[in-house]
Amino acid sequence: MYRLDRTAFKIQTFNESGKNRSYWMSKTPEERWAAAAYLIASAWGYDPQNPPRLDRTCFSIRKHE
C-alpha cells in the first residue's frame, strides 16, 4: 500500500517543515486517517489489516458500592 521513500528525508528548519502541514491538509480526512493508522501499525509491528486484540488481563471489573 505505502512505501517509505528514504531519499525524501532531510534536516529541515521549522519554516520548511511547515509546508508539510499544507500537504496533509490538502488530503481528505480518510486519507490522513489511513496514513496515520499505517504509521502506527508499522511502529508497533503489527499487520494493519489484522490488528491485535485488546489485552483485557490488565483490567478488572468490580462493582462500585
Side-chain angles (χ1 to χ4, degrees), residues 45-61:
Y46 65 84
D47 179 19
Q49 300 302 321
N50 188 19
R53 293 184 50 85
L54 178 64
D55 181 10
R56 297 189 186 273
T57 61
C58 297
F59 303 99
S60 63
I61 299 175

Side-chain angles (χ1 to χ4, degrees), residues 2-62:
Y2 299 101
R3 289 189 57 104
L4 179 62
D5 181 7
R6 297 188 185 275
T7 63
F9 296 100
K10 65 177 185 169
I11 297 174
Q12 298 179 346
T13 65
F14 284 111
N15 291 334
E16 291 172 334
S17 65
K19 295 176 186 174
N20 194 14
R21 178 175 167 77
S22 62
Y23 168 77
W24 283 109
M25 295 310 288
S26 71
K27 301 294 182 186
T28 65
E30 290 80 13
E31 289 173 318
R32 294 193 308 255
W33 180 255
Y38 173 76
L39 290 173
I40 291 168
S42 296
W44 287 97
Y46 65 84
D47 179 19
Q49 300 302 321
N50 188 19
R53 293 184 50 85
L54 178 64
D55 181 10
R56 297 189 186 273
T57 61
C58 297
F59 303 99
S60 63
I61 299 175
R62 60 182 175 192

